[in-house]
Each structure stands twice: as structure tokens, then as C-alpha cells.
Amino acid sequence: YDAGVLAFHAFPRNYLLSPAHWEELLAGRPNGGLAAALDVGAGDGSLCSPYARLFGSVTVTELTSPLVWRLKATPTQGASLQAVATAELTPRALGREQFDVAFCLNVLDRCKDPVRMVEQLHALLPPGGWLVVAVVLPWLQSDAVARGSHQRRARVVGGDFEAA
């Protein structure tokens, strides 16, 4: 599908948790309501909109230009939202040295090097910072590979999801 075309039509909308569930999950977040959050691969913003109000600021990254445009036009309740078109997860590219909470929601299976992405996110967190990850199951890692390109495969092992 063409994410750019779909962005103009607000379809498909993604859903992970309700605002009440996010509030419960994030109740003990570092720096409370003043916390700075990072959402990597925010898409159309449908996954971050239910929790954005819980933060003082939210920086979202996205690579698809129409989705970046949509993110910049998205109203937030309470939090300031900064949309950045970048694949580079560095303080310089993101305009901030550290984030209290980083979200990587349904993105790892779509990137070329999921291990490196997690390492980069970890480097953006202060001691005690949180990394919130959601993965699509089954873990296929097929979306990121264009013809002729390669993807570093994450070796996911374990007897159940929690062990993996």
C-alpha cells in the first residue's frame, strides 16, 4: 500500500491501547507530566495521540513526507508536538539530547537493523528512562527490504513471548 496516499484519507487508523490504559501503563514515568517523549516511526499519529497528553513534549519521527505533513497538522491536548522527518536517531537530528520515554511501536519489523535501532534509542534515554516497544506478530521483518537491499535479522529466541 502507499502510506502517503492513505495519510490524506486518515486510513488505516492504528490502535494499540486506550488512553486509560496508556495512563495506567505510564503512571510511574520519569518526570511525570513534564516528561519528554520520543515516538519513532509515528505514522499518522494514531498510536501516539492517546498518550501524547501525558507528556510535556513529544517528538515524533517519520520518513513518509505526507505522514510528516499530517503529523505536523495533528492537534494535541497539552503536549507540544514536534514532527521530524528523519531516520537518524541522534540528538542533532532530533533537536534534543535525551528523552525520558521512547516509544518504538510496530516499527522494529520494518527497519533494516532493529538491533541498532534499539541501541540508538537506549543511547537517547537517561538512567532510569523507559523504552516502550510493541512488535507485530508474527515477527516477519519483511517490510523493510526493498529489492536488492539487505536487512540485519534480529535473532528472536525463547519458549514464549516474554522470554523472547
Side-chain angles (χ1 to χ4, degrees):
Y1 68 90
D2 185 336
V5 171
L6 296 176
F8 286 109
H9 299 286
F11 179 82
R13 299 294 289 174
N14 293 303
Y15 178 81
L16 197 58
L17 294 174
S18 70
H21 285 122
W22 278 118
E23 192 163 355
E24 183 178 343
L25 177 72
L26 299 169
R29 69 196 170 281
N31 293 323
L34 299 176
L38 170 65
D39 186 340
V40 175
D44 67 352
S46 57
L47 291 180
C48 71
S49 61
Y51 67 73
R53 65 180 178 77
L54 302 173
F55 293 90
S57 67
V58 179
T59 299
V60 295
T61 70
E62 179 55 49
L63 295 177
T64 308
S65 297
L67 292 174
V68 173
W69 171 83
R70 184 176 168 85
L71 285 164
K72 288 181 177 182
T74 301
T76 57
Q77 299 172 357
S80 70
L81 183 75
Q82 176 189 2
V84 180
T86 185
E88 190 179 339
L89 298 177
T90 63
R92 186 174 145 235
L94 299 170
R96 186 179 188 100
E97 289 293 318
Q98 292 187 319
F99 295 88
D100 300 298
V101 180
F103 293 89
C104 188
L105 308 175
N106 300 344
V107 173
L108 290 176
D109 62 312
R110 293 170 171 81
C111 69
K112 292 192 182 216
D113 194 341
V115 174
R116 179 163 160 70
M117 179 177 278
V118 170
E119 291 169 351
Q120 289 175 320
L121 290 170
H122 182 262
L124 291 167
L125 296 170
W130 290 9
L131 175 58
V132 180
V133 176
V135 294
V136 176
L137 297 175
W139 178 267
L140 296 176
Q141 285 185 271
S142 59
D143 288 350
V145 181
R147 292 181 187 188
S149 68
H150 298 284
Q151 180 185 46
R152 179 178 174 191
R153 296 286 180 158
R155 186 166 179 248
V156 180
V157 296
D160 57 23
F161 181 75
E162 286 78 15

